[in-house]
């Protein structure tokens, strides 16, 4: 695998300063991830239930996950474009600012009982996911060779606290919102708004110096002086595709990330509806989703260490195996099988973690520094488009057939991808 290191000819003094900046960068990104994780988890976990209550349709409820994932996809390129022009801080600020606006629209939509308006708000709400995904790449800009997966995984791990606590804060937030005069079901999204506001402030104030701009300034043969102008969306896509054509390893990483995310979103988004059909109360559904989110984040430092130690592709294949086991466990559980669904959702999260961390590190290392924002933006775009498609299909499959059929479809998808990764050895 080709690695694109930061300039190794810099003096030890400068290298020490870069290490200090990298530690600060990881700390700032981690704090932002903790707070934004609360907002994403609260809103995303219960958005399908709220849409189902507003619309009275299980099939339409699947559009809630689709809307937020689609929003993350639509904002991936603008976020990458802003980062390419003015640095990671500008890109992340754009993403979290859109999420704030989305929360406001969602609160209004629930108040007036309009599920189409709520879906529109959830599209902008997806900016939080776009920001969270972009943060993982921000953690690698100043990483020394052989440490990018670990640094990336630490930022992913920081989401654990907020993401695990988030679903269990929804009901208390709703009760508090009602006491404050808010409409039923708006409290959780008001909490999300507050969480995103804090994350935005942390990024704007704390992410200085900007890691991407600093990495460019010290890269070998870097052009002094100015920041390159931002390419248009079409130019960004063209640059990314051209870079991918010269980097087969990046293509494999992109496919693995997209499949992992599609499997996770499709199963996770319909699990609350499946358990709700069995009569599970909100607090039980919250615990199940917390176990799933714990699987996504708690073991991420171990995943990062493994990816740096044994290689990216072996960890990607491990992830596909975990996703297969998750699809089988969850898919064969009935609406009352809370314990079995919980185990499946935990494995689903762990498989997603392997795909995201190993795939993201592999993708970043496979392309030159000047092309990374464009390729990373394209990766997040395709990843979330696939996830949105999976959420739509999941809602239709569960509505027309069953949750078990959804598990079968996901199992086939990840098995094919795992076999392909095994045949396409690096």
């Amino acid at each position: 695998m080709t690695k694109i290191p930061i300039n190794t000819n810099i003096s030890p003094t400068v290298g020490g300063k870069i290490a200090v900046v990298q530690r600060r960068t990881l700390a700032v990104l981690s704090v932002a991830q903790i707070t934004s994780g609360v907002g994403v988890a609260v809103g995303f976990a219960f958005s399908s239930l709220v849409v189902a209550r507003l619309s009275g349709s299980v099939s339409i409820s699947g559009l809630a996950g689709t809307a937020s994932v689609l929003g993350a996809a639509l904002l991936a390129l603008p976020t990458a474009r802003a980062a390419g022009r003015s640095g990671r801080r500008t890109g992340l600020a754009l993403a979290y600012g859109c999420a704030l606006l989305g929360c406001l629209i969602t609160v209004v939509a629930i108040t007036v009982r309009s599920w189409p308006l709520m879906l529109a708000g959830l599209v902008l709400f997806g900016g939080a996911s776009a920001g969270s995904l972009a943060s993982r790449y921000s953690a690698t800009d100043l990483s020394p060779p052989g440490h990018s997966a670990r640094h990336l995984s630490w930022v992913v791990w920081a989401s654990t606290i907020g993401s695990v606590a988030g679903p269990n804060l929804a009901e208390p937030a709703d009760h508090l919102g009602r006491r404050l005069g808010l409409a039923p079901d708006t409290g959780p999204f008001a909490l999300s708004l507050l969480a995103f506001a804090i994350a935005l402030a942390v990024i704007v104030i704390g992410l200085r110096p900007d890691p991407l701009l600093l990495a460019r300034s010290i890269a070998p043969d870097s052009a002094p002086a100015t920041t390159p102008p931002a390419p248009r969306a079409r130019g960004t896509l063209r640059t990314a595709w051209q870079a991918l054509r010269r980097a087969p390893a990046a293509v494999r990483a992109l496919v693995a990330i997209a499949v992992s995310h599609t499997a996770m979103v499709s199963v996770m988004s319909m699990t609350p509806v499946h358990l709700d059909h069995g009569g599970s109360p909100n607090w039980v559904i919250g615990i199940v989703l917390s176990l799933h989110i714990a699987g996504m984040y708690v073991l991420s430092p171990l995943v990062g260490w493994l990816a740096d130690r044994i290689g990216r592709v072996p960890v990607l294949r491990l992830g596909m195996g975990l996703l297969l086991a998750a699809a089988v466990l969850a898919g064969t559980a009935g609406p009352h099988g809370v314990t079995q669904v919980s185990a499946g959702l935990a494995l689903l999260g762990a498989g997603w973690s392997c795909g995201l961390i190993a795939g993201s590190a592999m993708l970043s290392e496979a392309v030159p520094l000047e092309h990374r924002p464009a390729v990373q933006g394209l990766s997040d775009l395709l990843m979330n488009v696939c996830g949105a498609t999976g959420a739509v299909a999941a809602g239709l499959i569960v509505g027309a057939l069953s949750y078990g059929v959804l598990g079968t479809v996901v199992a086939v998808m990840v098995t094919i991808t795992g076999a392909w990764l095994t045949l396409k050895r690096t």
Side-chain angles (χ1 to χ4, degrees), residues 61-159:
S61 71
L63 294 178
T66 303
S68 58
V69 174
L70 181 61
L74 293 174
L75 288 166
L77 285 183
T79 298
R81 197 160 61 246
R85 177 187 60 204
S86 303
R88 300 291 189 185
R89 183 172 62 252
T90 302
L92 294 176
L94 171 64
Y96 288 128
C98 289
L100 273 173
L101 179 59
C103 285
L104 286 173
I105 294 173
T106 300
V107 169
V108 171
I110 298 173
T111 302
V112 300
R113 310 298 294 176
S114 171
W115 64 263
L117 182 60
M118 181 174 176
L119 292 180
L122 289 174
V123 171
L124 287 174
F125 183 93
S129 294
S132 178
L133 292 172
S135 292
R136 78 193 194 278
Y137 288 127
S138 304
T140 67
D141 291 329
L142 296 173
S143 295
H147 289 74
S148 59
R150 271 170 279 191
H151 286 187
L152 186 154
S153 70
W154 293 344
V155 174
V156 173
W157 180 85
S159 302

Side-chain angles (χ1 to χ4, degrees), residues 75-421:
L75 288 166
L77 285 183
T79 298
R81 197 160 61 246
R85 177 187 60 204
S86 303
R88 300 291 189 185
R89 183 172 62 252
T90 302
L92 294 176
L94 171 64
Y96 288 128
C98 289
L100 273 173
L101 179 59
C103 285
L104 286 173
I105 294 173
T106 300
V107 169
V108 171
I110 298 173
T111 302
V112 300
R113 310 298 294 176
S114 171
W115 64 263
L117 182 60
M118 181 174 176
L119 292 180
L122 289 174
V123 171
L124 287 174
F125 183 93
S129 294
S132 178
L133 292 172
S135 292
R136 78 193 194 278
Y137 288 127
S138 304
T140 67
D141 291 329
L142 296 173
S143 295
H147 289 74
S148 59
R150 271 170 279 191
H151 286 187
L152 186 154
S153 70
W154 293 344
V155 174
V156 173
W157 180 85
S159 302
T160 304
I161 299 173
S163 297
V164 171
N168 297 294
L169 294 175
E171 194 162 346
D174 187 36
H175 292 326
L176 178 60
R178 296 185 192 210
R179 286 199 295 270
L180 294 175
L182 297 178
D185 293 330
T186 59
F189 293 96
L191 175 61
S192 294
L193 188 151
L194 176 62
F196 297 150
I198 295 173
L200 176 61
V202 168
I203 290 296
V204 171
I205 296 172
L207 202 60
R208 300 171 185 271
D210 190 278
L212 179 60
L213 299 184
L214 179 57
R216 284 175 174 169
S217 71
I218 62 177
D221 303 321
S222 62
T226 62
T227 302
R232 295 182 179 180
R234 190 171 299 174
T236 301
L237 285 173
R238 185 182 302 114
T239 298
W241 284 120
Q242 289 173 348
L244 286 172
R245 289 175 61 185
R246 296 189 293 268
V251 174
R252 288 193 286 277
L254 189 152
V255 171
I257 292 170
V259 169
S260 299
H261 195 66
T262 302
M264 186 277 291
V265 170
S266 60
V267 176
M268 185 264 202
S269 64
M270 296 312 299
T271 296
V273 177
H274 179 63
L275 294 177
D276 188 57
H277 286 168
S280 296
N282 283 353
W283 68 268
V284 171
I285 296 174
I287 290 175
V288 173
L289 293 177
S290 292
L291 291 173
H292 163 66
I293 296 170
M296 293 172 66
Y297 299 118
V298 169
L299 297 179
S300 55
L302 175 60
V303 173
W305 178 82
L306 280 175
D308 282 338
R309 184 65 180 251
I310 68 175
R312 284 42 170 147
V313 175
V315 174
L316 290 177
R317 291 199 295 262
L318 171 63
M320 295 302 150
L322 291 172
L323 291 171
L324 173 60
V328 172
L329 266 178
T332 56
H336 301 284
V338 175
T339 301
Q340 187 173 336
V341 170
S342 298
L345 267 285
L347 289 176
L348 184 75
W352 176 87
S353 181
C354 290
L356 185 78
I357 292 172
S360 298
M362 185 174 173
L363 182 75
S364 296
E365 293 173 344
V367 295
L369 179 62
E370 63 270 22
H371 296 152
R372 284 182 190 172
V375 173
Q376 291 162 350
L378 175 61
S379 172
D380 286 348
L381 169 64
L382 294 179
M383 161 185 170
N384 284 296
V385 167
C386 291
T389 303
V392 169
L396 295 175
I397 289 171
V398 173
L401 298 171
S402 70
Y403 185 74
V405 173
L406 173 63
T408 300
V409 172
V410 170
V412 171
M413 177 180 65
V414 299
T415 299
I416 292 173
T417 305
W420 179 71
L421 287 171

